[in-house]
């Protein structure tokens, strides 16, 4: 027989991926099987890219609790490292206790990793502290849904609950009318404020504030259904002052990001912070040049140039990787000076241990050119390391000015493999704004999405662009460009989005 494995009962938190604990992420990283349910955000599975995953939640995948217990025991006894990933906290109305009992009974080692429970997180994201010294001394967690064979609310002493200051209800969507009546019958005022929070911590979290007397009717009118948590008590009044979630500058805005997967990280993180929902459609990815020889040759004579010019962070990466692959390092630049077209390129260069001698204030080729003109071009030698397809303005102008220019392809862009769900969503038009960070992203976006859906989007959805060149490409392709970043950078594009949103757009 195998040595038994281990089962981690892990709280996934309410939904937002950042609310998983560090311990949770750590054990996911070492799991070989993950058993998760529908209230656990599937995005968390990126912490366990190599694990087998089993969904045991709603719908066709539904298993009974006894079946889940048996599955965990079986996997544990087979020597597997198992994560049982459960929404919120595993021991708060999550039946994690039953799973732990089964594991203990079968002698399978296990560990419990607590999680952020839905009602507390939902209240916090609604701007409601579940306890506050000004509003009473207790927090009571109650289920509004008992065991299947029982009267759902008969098992609770509602008269006792009614006397508690803050009451947080789980699984109460269906029984809200009966629960509210029971609390009022026990003497809780119909004026008591109530907050109902649906899909807490998700970008589309809905929060509805009402009173005990009106909550059930209001919820029905608003079509508010499970999963939601309900907070009853005077603390709900603090929401007016403390609400923060909906106040973020890009709250709820559905933004299509067309950057390559490798480059979109910081952009997406910033948009997330501002409350936007990013729909990732990486249109391009980067690859080494088809013919490596010209790059290798140019890198072999770097110190014969007066200027080596980088036009993108990718160019830096691919060129320096190729240099390294050829067994050489930064000393190969010798006396050559280095120019970058913009600060992001210069930053990447600095990360790789080289400081640019020249970075223009505005980030287009023309600005760089002006500085070359000012010091004199005639007789100088330039190496331009760049993408396969790029504008000719810089080399043309340098040559016209009497310079010797080698233009060498450091990398090329190619269409990316996209996620079907994101593509389908964009085709259905479930987006508010498109972002383009390079002309190539415009072209590849149109190819990926297809002419019909593109036409429908163009009629309704504005585009924001990183700079004038990209904006022109987007306009030529038929997009309505609502704003362009002033600084031609990603932070500039974020600023443009915020200004555009603030201007009452959307
Ligand atoms: N163990 C979970 C609770 C599971 S019971 C926890 O600690 O949060 C299921 C109930 O939890 C739902 O009916 C709902 O009341 C609440 N719930 C879970 N996730 C939620 C979410 N994202 N938003 C609002 N309520 C949620």
């Amino acid at each position: 027989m195998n040595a038994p494995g281990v089962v981690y009962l892990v709280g996934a938190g309410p939904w937002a991926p950042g609310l998983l604990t560090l311990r949770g992420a750590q054990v996911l990283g070492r799991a070989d099987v993950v058993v998760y349910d529908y209230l656990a955000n599937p995005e968390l599975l990126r912490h366990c890219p190599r694990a087998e995953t089993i969904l045991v939640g709603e719908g066709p995948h539904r298993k009974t609790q006894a079946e889940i217990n048996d599955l965990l025991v079986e996997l544990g006894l087979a020597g597997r490292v198992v994560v049982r990933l459960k929404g919120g906290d595993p021991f708060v109305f999550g039946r994690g206790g039953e799973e732990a009992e089964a594991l203990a009974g079968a002698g399978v080692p296990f560990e419990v990793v607590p999680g952020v429970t839905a009602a507390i997180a939902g209240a916090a994201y609604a701007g409601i502290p579940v306890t506050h010294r000004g509003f009473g001394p207790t927090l009571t967690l109650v289920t509004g849904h008992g065991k299947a064979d029982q009267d759902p609310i008969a098992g609770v002493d509602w008269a006792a609950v009614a006397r508690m200051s803050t009451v947080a209800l789980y699984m109460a969507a269906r029984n809200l009318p009966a629960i509210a009546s029971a609390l009022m019958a026990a003497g809780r005022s119909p004026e008591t404020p109530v907050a109902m929070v649906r899909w807490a911590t998700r970008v589309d979290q809905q929060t509805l504030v009402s009173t005990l007397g009106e909550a059930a009717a209001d919820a029905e009118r608003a079509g508010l259904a499970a999963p939601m948590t309900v907070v009853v008590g005077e603390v709900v009044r603090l929401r007016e002052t403390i609400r923060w979630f909906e106040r973020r500058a890009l709250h709820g805005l559905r933004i299509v990001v067309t950057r390559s997967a490798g480059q979109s990280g910081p952009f997406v993180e910033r948009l997330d912070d501002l409350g936007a929902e990013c729909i990732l459609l990486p249109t391009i990815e980067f690859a080494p040049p088809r013919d490596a020889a010209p790059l290798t040759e140019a890198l072999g004579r770097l110190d014969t140039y007066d200027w080596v010019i980088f036009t993108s962070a990718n160019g830096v990466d691919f060129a320096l990787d190729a240099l390294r692959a050829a067994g050489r390092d930064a000393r190969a630049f010798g006396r050559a000076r280095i120019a970058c077209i913009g600060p992001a390129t210069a930053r990447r260069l600095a990360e790789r241990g080289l400081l640019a001698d020249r970075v223009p204030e505005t980030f287009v080729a023309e600005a760089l050119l002006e500085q070359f003109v000012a010091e004199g071009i005639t007789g100088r030698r330039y190496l331009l390391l760049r993408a396969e397809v790029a504008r000719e303005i810089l080399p043309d102008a340098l040559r016209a000015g009497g310079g010797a220019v080698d233009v060498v392809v450091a990398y090329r862009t190619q269409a990316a493999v996209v996620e079907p769900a994101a593509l389908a969503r964009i085709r259905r038009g479930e987006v508010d704004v498109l972002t383009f960070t390079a002309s190539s992203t415009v072209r590849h976006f149109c190819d990926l999405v297809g002419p019909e859906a593109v036409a429908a989007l163009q009629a309704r959805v504005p585009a924001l662009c990183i700079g004038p060149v990209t904006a022109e490409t987007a306009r030529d392709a038929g997009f309505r460009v609502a704003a362009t970043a002033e600084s031609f950078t990603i932070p500039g594009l974020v600023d443009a989005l915020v200004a555009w949103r603030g201007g009452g757009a959307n």
Side-chain angles (χ1 to χ4, degrees):
M1 211 180 103
N2 291 315
V6 59
V7 178
Y8 298 97
L9 300 173
V10 176
W15 191 264
L19 296 177
L20 176 74
T21 63
L22 291 175
R23 179 66 175 157
Q26 186 182 47
V27 298
L28 272 172
R30 62 168 85 133
D32 33 61
V33 197
V34 176
V35 180
Y36 68 107
D37 58 26
Y38 95 110
L39 284 175
N41 187 346
E43 253 185 63
L44 296 176
L45 300 178
R46 71 182 156 80
H47 294 290
C48 52
R50 278 175 305 276
E52 175 193 343
T53 57
I54 305 175
L55 174 62
V56 292
E58 296 290 278
H61 308 287
R62 186 163 194 109
K63 284 195 188 334
T64 64
Q65 188 61 49
E67 285 169 341
I68 295 171
N69 295 351
D70 289 348
L71 175 66
L72 296 177
V73 167
E74 188 188 305
L75 291 167
L77 290 178
R80 317 284 300 268
V81 176
V82 185
V83 166
R84 170 69 177 120
L85 188 64
K86 302 169 73 71
D89 181 279
F91 280 3
V92 179
F93 304 128
R95 306 188 74 169
E98 293 164 49
E99 293 170 4
E101 282 179 308
L103 293 165
V108 176
F110 65 92
E111 180 182 320
V112 183
V113 181
V116 180
T117 193
I120 293 178
Y125 272 56
I128 301 165
V130 284
T131 76
H132 185 289
R133 285 197 301 171
F135 296 89
T138 60
L139 166 62
T140 309
L141 307 185
V142 187
T143 171
H145 189 92
K147 288 189 179 169
D149 54 349
Q150 285 178 359
D151 175 343
I153 64 167
V156 177
D157 181 350
W158 292 103
V161 173
R163 288 193 299 275
M164 297 294 144
S165 32
T166 304
V167 177
L169 300 165
Y170 290 73
M171 294 176 274
R174 192 148 5 111
N175 296 321
L176 197 54
I179 292 169
S181 300
L183 289 170
M184 290 185 289
R188 194 74 179 241
S189 161
E191 299 307 319
T192 311
V194 171
M196 292 163 276
V197 186
R198 174 160 204 249
W199 277 123
T201 79
R202 229 164 73 160
V203 273
D204 59 348
Q205 165 180 314
Q206 268 176 289
T207 303
L208 183 64
V209 173
S210 178
T211 60
L212 202 51
E214 301 293 328
D218 282 349
E220 177 156 7
R221 244 194 312 278
L224 221 58
M228 70 169 184
T229 59
V230 182
V231 183
V232 181
E234 298 301 319
V235 284
V236 169
R237 298 191 194 284
L238 293 166
R239 169 171 160 82
E240 232 168 89
T241 315
I242 297 179
R243 64 186 290 177
W244 57 274
F245 186 69
E246 301 89 342
R247 285 191 183 140
R248 294 171 305 163
L250 299 179
H251 174 70
L253 198 66
R254 299 168 299 174
I255 302 176
V256 177
V257 175
T258 52
R259 283 208 120 184
S260 75
Q263 285 188 314
S264 64
F267 184 39
V268 169
E269 196 175 309
R270 187 71 192 119
L271 297 178
D272 277 350
D273 284 348
L274 294 170
E277 179 182 5
C278 293
I279 299 141
L280 305 185
L281 191 77
T283 51
I284 49 178
E285 58 191 28
F286 303 102
R290 267 175 259 268
D291 176 10
L295 179 60
T296 312
E297 283 160 26
L299 294 173
R301 51 169 195 267
L302 275 177
D303 61 351
T304 67
Y305 293 98
D306 295 295
W307 284 99
V308 177
I309 305 168
F310 289 101
T311 58
S312 70
N314 277 310
V316 169
D317 279 338
F318 279 96
L320 294 184
D321 287 351
L323 187 66
R324 184 68 213 273
R328 307 191 63 197
D329 62 22
R331 287 169 293 180
F333 283 88
R335 54 173 270 284
R337 286 190 290 165
I338 303 177
C340 288
I341 201 157
T345 309
R347 238 182 344 262
R348 179 63 57 84
L349 196 65
E351 278 163 19
R352 305 203 52 156
L354 288 163
L355 299 180
D357 298 288
R358 176 163 297 167
V359 189
E361 307 262 302
T362 52
F363 316 127
V364 286
E366 286 81 349
L368 197 54
L369 189 60
E370 257 174 46
Q371 299 188 355
F372 288 131
V373 170
E375 72 177 9
I377 294 174
T378 315
R380 292 226 152 82
R381 289 174 47 76
Y382 302 89
L383 171 63
L384 195 59
L385 293 168
R386 63 173 202 184
E388 193 173 47
V389 183
R391 296 200 308 156
E392 292 302 331
I393 157 143
L394 199 54
D396 286 355
L398 289 171
R399 281 182 192 123
V405 187
D406 289 340
V407 176
V408 172
V409 175
Y411 68 99
R412 67 197 156 92
T413 55
Q414 57 188 23
V417 181
V418 300
E419 205 203 308
L423 184 58
R425 198 170 160 193
I426 293 165
R427 286 191 173 140
R428 286 196 304 272
E430 293 166 12
V431 302
D432 301 313
V433 58
L434 309 172
T435 58
F436 293 119
T437 49
S439 292
S440 56
T441 64
V442 178
R443 288 190 290 268
H444 289 293
F445 179 86
C446 294
D447 291 348
L448 278 169
V449 174
E452 245 172 75
V454 165
L457 285 167
Q458 286 173 339
R460 200 183 55 77
V461 181
L464 265 71
C465 295
I466 197 161
V469 179
T470 308
E472 197 180 307
T473 310
R475 271 191 212 101
D476 287 349
F479 291 95
R480 179 162 56 84
V481 177
T484 302
E486 271 176 31
S487 61
F488 317 157
T489 60
I490 287 294
L493 184 53
V494 173
D495 290 346
L497 275 160
V498 170
W500 169 76
R501 182 55 160 343
N506 177 38

